[in-house]
Amino acid sequence: MSYGEEITQELCGESDLKDGEMREFDVQGHTILLVKSNGIFSAVGGKCSHYGAPLSKGVLAGDRVRCPWHGACFNIKTGDIEEYPGLDSLPCFKVIVDNGSVFINTSKKVLENAKRVKAMGKQKQGDRSIVAIIGSGAAALVCAETLRQEGYTGRIVMVTREKHLPYDRTKLSKAMNAKASDIYLRPEDFFSSHDIEVLTEKKVVSINTDEGKIKFKDYSTLMYSQLLIATGSSPRELTCPGSDLQNVLSLRTPEDANAISEMAVGKNVVIIGNSFIGMEVAAFLSDKASCVSVIGRSDFPFQSVLGPKVGEVAMKVKEVILKNGTTLPADVVISGIGTIPAASFLKGSRIAMDTRGAIFVDQFMRTSVPDVFAAGDVVSFPLSIMEGHRANIGHWQMAQHHGRIAALNMLNKQVPVNSVPFFWTFLLGKSIRYAGFGEGYTETEVKGNLEEFKFLVFYIKDDFVVAVSSMNFDPIVAQVAEVMLSGRKIAKKEVLSDDFLNLLTIGNAPVKQLA
């Protein structure tokens, strides 16, 4: 029944859902997720705010649901986003239990908004503090938004060497012909309405941490009270003869992506590098270029991270030519030989960095200099699931998590970084998901069938699982991520069991999922 804008609809009987169960319902054409946890019903939007995955196919752990596709997490009682990727929270609906039936009470307006932006404050005239953010990627944007969500009323200034507002960088290799404005994470009026300044085409040349001053290439300066460095990474440059030719390109910006997409049509394309960026570019160009050849040091794509077994599967999915030691005709050459932290402007500063140029931060994203924080691809940070082992991780999800943690600790919240690395790659309709940190793994255990593109691969070190990857096996990677986040280690003997899915528990409670 509906009364004007108000909508009340019966969903199910009170006993139809078991405790710890979640189910998807349709309410006037909109997907709702109903959850029963500890005897209490709650209802939130049914689709992940990142790419619209059905959360009913995800993982329920305590008071939060994890997306089966890319690992974003939402509180089932408030709808708030608690883990990334994505920016927005879910709508939350009033649930009424009456006479053995469960009803949802909401309005048409709330139903129609599948995403919800957390309440954000604005700058106050009397607050003279300034948070400067160098960079405009995932970490930078989440930091700025979190500051406003948590009540920061000073000035926020985001500076970037690029021409654009923050955009979804993960799409550069997956949708190379997209207009920059089509992949913006927020519209321009979002920033002005929340008093977040974005200064484009501003290249930083140095930072004076004693004076709290940033110097730019155009000789202008910006003073700051607190600083976040979130400059990400830069493509590693080719140094071989001919690498400076006009048809040798790398991928860093929307302009790069568009140029590659246009130049490759009907041409012989050679991609140097067979890891994630190289293979995604190859997939995108496979039906546009005359021929796509991929050159890599390893025998298989993704081998250094996913191992040879998954790499061999990727070769079968790809249908591109992999050659080594052969002269290849090349109208367009694309360099994808890895990245380095974009922190060269810090040389000579008091900010400590490792030998690769990554900025050292502690568990609160603080650098070696007071009031200077860093986040994202540019940092070396203590990874909680690896007992504080330092890592430099170039994942979109992790960068967003870093941005939130940096913002909270700028506000003296004392919240440590605590997240399970989660990433994905997409090749010609096939998705590979990955969670954990597999560096140094010594063996793998495969479940499913690699030949049929339906598999799980557990990466094992010292008899414990350190990472997992999958194809067409959702939501197991999300389940493993939840177990890892809880601090529980998954033993090799567990995954060898035929009943291994029922062994994925947190404490004595199973990690719930509905297929």
Side-chain angles (χ1 to χ4, degrees), residues 382-390 489:
L383 186 59
S384 58
I385 65 166
M386 297 301 291
E387 299 175 347
H389 170 83
R390 286 198 163 273
K489 291 187 175 183

Side-chain angles (χ1 to χ4, degrees), residues 8 94-98 101-105:
T8 301
K94 182 179 180 181
V95 176
I96 301 170
V97 180
D98 184 36
S101 295
V102 180
F103 298 84
I104 185 175
N105 179 259

Side-chain angles (χ1 to χ4, degrees), residues 118-140:
K118 282 186 179 180
M120 298 171 68
K122 301 186 71 173
Q123 182 180 351
K124 289 186 178 178
Q125 190 170 3
D127 191 335
R128 300 180 64 85
S129 64
I130 302 174
V131 169
I133 301 173
I134 304 176
S136 60

Side-chain angles (χ1 to χ4, degrees), residues 142 146 363-365 373 400-410 415-418:
V142 170
T146 302
Q363 62 181 332
F364 303 110
M365 310 313 295
F373 297 75
Q400 290 190 301
H401 181 77
H402 282 181
R404 177 177 180 272
I405 297 301
L408 293 175
N409 289 304
M410 285 178 168
V415 178
V417 61
N418 184 28

